[in-house]
Amino acid sequence: MTSQVSSPAEQTDGTVVGEQRKPGGAKDVRRLDRVIIRFAGDSGDGMQLTGDRFTSETASFGNDLSTLPNFPAEIRAPAGTLPGVSSFQLHFADHDILTPGDAPNVLVAMNPAALKANIGDLPRGAEIIVNTDEFTKRALQKVGYASDPLQDGSLDGYSLHPVPLTTLTVEALKEFDLSRKEAERSKNMFALGLLSWMYHRPTEGTEKFLKSKFAKKPDIAEANIAAFRAGWNFGETTEDFAVSYEVAPATKAFPVGTYRNISGNLALAYGLITASRQADLPLFLGSYPITPASDILHELSKHKNFGVRTFQAEDEIAGIGAALGAAFGGSLAVTTTSGPGVALKSETIGLAVSLELPLLVVDIQRGGPSTGLPTKTEQADLLQAMYGRNGEAPVPVVAPRTPADCFDAALEAARIALTYRTPVMLLSDGYLANGSEPWRIPDLDELPDLRVRFASGPNHTLEDGTEVFWPYKRDPQTLARPWAIPGTPGLEHRIGGIEKQDGTGNISYDPANHDFMVRTRQAKVDGIDVPDVEVDDPHGAKTLVLGWGSTYGPITAAVRRLRTAGESIAQAHLRHLNPFPRNLGTVLKGYDKVVVPEMNLGQLATLIRAKYLVDAHSYNQVNGMPFKAEQLATALKEAIDD
């Protein structure tokens, strides 16, 4: 996404880089290099919408940014309770950044539960904006506060801003014909207006968004806009906020181009559409709704004009079955799911391995096992992707590293599937899926040519001179079998899960043939052309940190911190997990120590140790949240010193 130049500012908590005192008693403006804001409240308080709008305006302003939405699994958890707290964290800066930030500089807490759930993450001196209207005796008791933290001195180490958000919102909307309950719903827009004033965010986009969102309810649209403006005006006029802040655009962080803010799931959806256009194939998605993958189904359903067909099946098995049928029929076929769905789809993935048809299986990983933590992130499906099928059923595995990189990973997964006629697993996760960052929209001439040639006639000559079509006669370079569209005259052939005879595709129980076919399918995956892994090692380090997937941001931020502190450490990150890059073994054996941070109990480390006999050291976390940069920096420093 952005330049990989080391930035000392990555390790600060919002350095003051300038201050401007306005004449005539006007409020001061303080310039910062970066800020981390967290909005928190009930799951019905609109915190995700508030954070998303602040993010959109920040992106349009030109800052680099990274976000971390965090919400409960329940559709509507009990109001005012700790399990019902929903939050949205945004890190934005005037330079290249990689993570949503370790600790917020600003917390907006809409109720006592939001304060209690998040206060532990705040450093001393952080600003806290609280909605005092919600700090009632009953609300405090509900979350276990024995006394009011706004009054008992427990928040003396912070910069506390008590604001009666609900009262101010209702007062601002008294001219509208709304009940008090309806008016109170706009308090998130009041908070958004206040924060937009504090950090000099643009406002036109949010007002335009509200008019569009409530186009059929213009009174509601105008009420929300009025609340938004009231929040802005409150910041401008109240004496409690004596300083506002500016974070300049990140003009040096981005290569020249046109950018937009994008989430991982949206980037993945756009990547799938682009792959289908570059392959000149219709795109078919067979899917069953599941958190956190459902957004891909929602997005692709909007793009029928690009030849996209989406099918919401009755269950996970039907979804992948329909997708595999579409692959047989000549479509770029996709099924999207999360870990529990992959388990249900495993038999059909094995069938796709046997049929040797291109199929993209997109797994947006979440906390497990079983239903686990539907709205939390994890990287614990790697071994399931590698081995979670009966028999020898090898499948290529690709993993994006950032939200924007999901676009490129989708193209790469499609390239492998179409070139080698195989199902491909794409492992994203909840952190990437819901998080967002700036994405440079690629030029058309930068996109790969993914066009394929379907079989059009006989491809084999029998001993008697008869020309026939053999569905399992392979390309000598890729070992891919021909892709024959049903209905093409002369290309009739069997498909099914029973073992095929080499070449003819006829049913075969011959032991030698089965051994040959198993080894051939494995050789096809082993022979996939993937780029060498690149190593970032400017100082000739003895310790290598190896990552995959969404750990890229925290690992890179931690490595930057260590190098800024004078430490020598190397970094490599894997996109291709099956097959591994051909130079990986040589790279690993070039270091005295290899550390593998993962959001699981050491699955990549297990694979690395087994394949390369390298004593890879695991550093693991499975708490449903991404790593923090400072946490990793500390662990890596200990590894260097050990």
Side-chain angles (χ1 to χ4, degrees):
M1 175 197 73
T2 53
S3 168
Q4 296 306 304
V5 177
S6 178
S7 170
E10 180 73 28
Q11 59 186 318
T12 70
D13 291 319
T15 303
V16 178
V17 296
E19 192 162 357
Q20 175 183 355
R21 191 171 298 276
K22 293 186 176 181
K27 296 186 177 183
D28 294 337
V29 178
R30 186 173 300 167
R31 291 183 56 206
L32 302 174
D33 65 345
R34 71 185 187 108
V35 174
I36 304 168
I37 297 174
R38 183 182 296 176
F39 298 93
D42 268 334
S43 56
D45 281 340
M47 294 296 93
Q48 302 304 319
L49 174 62
T50 304
D52 183 67
R53 287 315 312 160
F54 195 95
T55 300
S56 294
E57 298 298 353
T58 297
S60 67
F61 188 72
N63 296 119
D64 195 8
L65 62 89
S66 180
T67 68
L68 178 62
N70 185 18
F71 40 86
E74 291 83 0
I75 294 175
R76 186 68 172 92
T81 63
L82 292 174
V85 173
S86 174
S87 68
F88 188 104
Q89 183 162 306
L90 166 67
H91 182 190
F92 61 102
D94 65 1
H95 59 275
D96 173 30
I97 59 173
L98 298 155
T99 74
D102 288 357
N105 308 116
V106 181
L107 171 67
V108 180
M110 304 297 281
N111 60 18
L115 178 64
K116 188 164 189 177
N118 292 280
I119 190 66
D121 293 336
L122 269 63
R124 289 291 173 171
E127 293 194 78
I128 304 176
I129 301 172
V130 294
N131 179 15
T132 56
D133 289 324
E134 294 296 323
F135 279 69
T136 63
K137 184 177 180 180
R138 184 171 182 273
L140 292 167
Q141 291 175 343
K142 188 181 289 188
V143 295
Y145 275 124
S147 61
D148 187 347
L150 307 184
Q151 307 292 335
D152 63 10
S154 60
L155 300 178
D156 286 351
Y158 305 93
S159 178
L160 181 64
H161 302 280
V163 180
L165 286 171
T166 305
T167 299
L168 290 171
T169 302
V170 172
E171 179 66 21
L173 302 185
K174 63 182 180 181
E175 64 183 77
F176 294 88
D177 186 21
L178 299 173
S179 67
R180 180 179 177 85
K181 186 176 182 180
E182 289 173 329
E184 289 178 359
R185 290 174 182 166
S186 297
K187 62 181 180 289
N188 63 325
M189 288 297 105
F190 189 100
L192 178 59
L194 173 57
L195 269 292
S196 297
W197 171 82
M198 283 182 66
Y199 291 97
H200 295 248
R201 299 296 91 184
T203 60
E204 296 82 1
T206 293
E207 294 193 9
K208 183 178 179 181
F209 167 81
L210 291 170
K211 289 179 181 178
S212 174
K213 180 176 178 63
F214 298 106
K216 296 182 179 180
K217 298 179 179 179
D219 291 345
I220 299 297
E222 289 303 319
N224 277 282
I225 291 171
F228 177 66
R229 291 174 177 172
W232 176 283
N233 294 333
F234 177 78
E236 183 71 30
T237 57
T238 184
E239 295 181 0
D240 192 34
F241 294 91
V243 179
S244 64
Y245 303 92
E246 285 185 349
V247 180
T251 53
K252 297 181 180 179
F254 304 116
V256 174
T258 302
Y259 288 80
R260 60 155 295 165
N261 183 51
I262 200 165
S263 68
N265 274 352
L266 184 58
L268 211 157
Y270 286 177
L272 294 173
I273 296 171
T274 303
S276 75
R277 294 299 83 210
Q278 293 302 108
D280 197 22
L281 297 174
L283 178 64
F284 180 90
L285 174 67
S287 184
Y288 181 76
I290 184 172
T291 301
S294 299
D295 288 341
I296 303 171
L297 170 62
H298 300 160
E299 182 62 32
L300 289 180
S301 68
K302 303 174 184 177
H303 296 287
K304 296 180 178 65
N305 55 314
F306 286 113
V308 179
R309 181 170 296 176
T310 53
F311 170 58
Q312 181 174 319
E314 66 268 29
D315 56 39
E316 295 281 4
I317 298 171
I320 190 173
L324 185 56
F328 180 59
S331 293
L332 176 59
V334 184
T335 188
T336 51
T337 189
S338 189
V342 174
L344 292 168
K345 296 176 189 290
S346 62
E347 183 181 6
T348 307
I349 297 173
L351 176 59
V353 171
S354 176
L355 299 184
E356 300 188 48
L357 287 171
L359 174 68
L360 302 187
V361 182
V362 178
D363 176 6
I364 313 297
Q365 300 166 95
R366 70 189 204 189
S370 187
T371 307
L373 303 174
T375 60
K376 309 302 180 184
T377 196
E378 206 164 271
Q379 287 184 294
D381 294 350
L382 176 56
L383 293 183
Q384 179 178 225
M386 288 285 293
Y387 304 119
R389 294 162 295 282
N390 63 294
E392 296 287 346
V395 170
V397 181
V398 175
R401 63 186 189 178
T402 70
D405 189 49
C406 289
F407 177 87
D408 295 316
L411 287 171
E412 175 64 358
R415 177 191 72 84
I416 293 172
L418 294 171
T419 303
Y420 296 90
R421 309 286 197 271
T422 177
V424 177
M425 295 285 296
L426 194 158
L427 295 182
S428 179
D429 61 42
Y431 172 36
L432 296 183
N434 297 316
S436 63
E437 66 177 351
W439 171 59
R440 187 180 70 83
I441 301 172
D443 295 329
L444 291 178
D445 58 8
E446 298 173 1
L447 300 173
D449 184 351
L450 300 179
R451 288 174 294 181
V452 297
R453 294 182 61 183
F454 293 116
S456 57
N459 62 357
H460 184 74
T461 303
L462 300 177
E463 292 182 359
D464 62 4
T466 304
E467 292 187 337
V468 297
F469 174 68
W470 274 15
Y472 281 83
K473 185 168 185 175
R474 301 178 184 279
D475 181 288
Q477 298 299 319
T478 64
L479 299 182
R481 78 174 187 91
W483 195 358
I485 301 301
T488 307
L491 303 190
E492 297 85 357
H493 61 284
R494 293 184 180 89
I495 61 169
I498 298 179
E499 185 62 279
K500 316 294 185 299
Q501 185 182 53
D502 177 41
T504 68
N506 295 329
I507 290 174
S508 173
Y509 297 101
D510 178 65
N513 176 80
H514 177 60
D515 183 273
F516 177 81
M517 293 295 279
V518 167
R519 295 180 187 275
T520 299
R521 288 188 289 262
Q522 184 65 57
K524 180 172 69 170
V525 172
D526 291 341
I528 291 173
D529 182 24
V530 303
D532 283 350
V533 64
E534 296 182 359
V535 182
D536 176 17
D537 185 7
H539 305 117
K542 295 183 179 180
T543 299
L544 172 73
V545 54
L546 179 69
W548 70 277
S550 67
T551 57
Y552 173 78
I555 288 174
T556 307
V559 166
R560 288 183 180 181
R561 295 185 185 207
L562 290 172
R563 289 177 181 170
T564 299
E567 300 290 343
S568 179
I569 187 168
Q571 177 186 1
H573 207 79
L574 294 175
R575 163 170 285 177
H576 297 90
L577 298 153
N578 192 34
F580 285 129
R582 282 165 176 71
N583 69 329
L584 180 58
T586 302
V587 166
L588 295 174
K589 291 174 182 177
Y591 292 90
D592 294 345
K593 190 173 298 181
V594 177
V595 182
V596 186
E598 298 180 79
M599 293 187 293
N600 57 46
L601 293 183
Q603 297 188 14
L604 175 61
T606 297
L607 295 174
I608 292 295
R609 293 169 69 95
K611 185 173 180 65
Y612 300 108
L613 304 181
V614 170
D615 187 19
H617 298 264
S618 288
Y619 181 75
N620 308 116
Q621 172 178 295
V622 281
N623 62 3
M625 298 295 289
F627 284 114
K628 293 182 178 180
E630 183 63 33
Q631 165 195 4
L632 278 181
T634 300
L636 295 176
K637 178 66 167 62
E638 292 174 355
I640 293 172
D641 294 341
D642 186 7

